[in-house]
Amino acid sequence: MTVTDSNGCTNSTNKTLNELPLPIVSITGPDGICVGGTTTFTATGGGSYLWNTGQTSASISLNPSVTTTYSVTVTDTNGCSNNANKTLNEVIYWEYRSDQWFH
């Protein structure tokens, strides 16, 4: 950048701006869960976590009553944020007993 004042004097300076990469976010955990079951999703990729459930830890315990998509926003130490989504499918367990199906 060059600046010129009202007397015609100029001065210049340079500043390099580095574009910081976004955190690489992933969610691990099962794709399905039996009705009434409990499982855990764990996010990686940053310093702080915010799930669409409001929880703020890397790992969250889940016990959904229907198929649900969970999302997490991860913010790294530079203040850069990225997100990921994962769907947990509710699996209906069927059992065959005495010539009848039960779930």
Side-chain angles (χ1 to χ4, degrees), residues 69-90:
T69 298
Y70 295 90
S71 61
V72 63
T73 299
V74 175
T75 304
D76 67 15
T77 56
N78 295 311
C80 298
S81 297
N82 204 355
N83 58 43
N85 301 306
K86 185 170 178 67
T87 299
L88 182 58
N89 296 296
E90 194 73 21

Side-chain angles (χ1 to χ4, degrees), residues 53-69:
T53 61
Q55 293 169 282
T56 58
S57 59
S59 295
I60 60 172
S61 181
L62 305 169
N63 182 9
S65 58
V66 296
T67 295
T68 305
T69 298

Side-chain angles (χ1 to χ4, degrees), residues 4-10:
T4 304
D5 69 12
S6 61
N7 296 318
C9 298
T10 61

Side-chain angles (χ1 to χ4, degrees), residues 40-61:
T40 301
F41 276 2
T42 301
T44 58
S48 66
Y49 302 87
L50 178 60
W51 294 86
N52 62 331
T53 61
Q55 293 169 282
T56 58
S57 59
S59 295
I60 60 172
S61 181

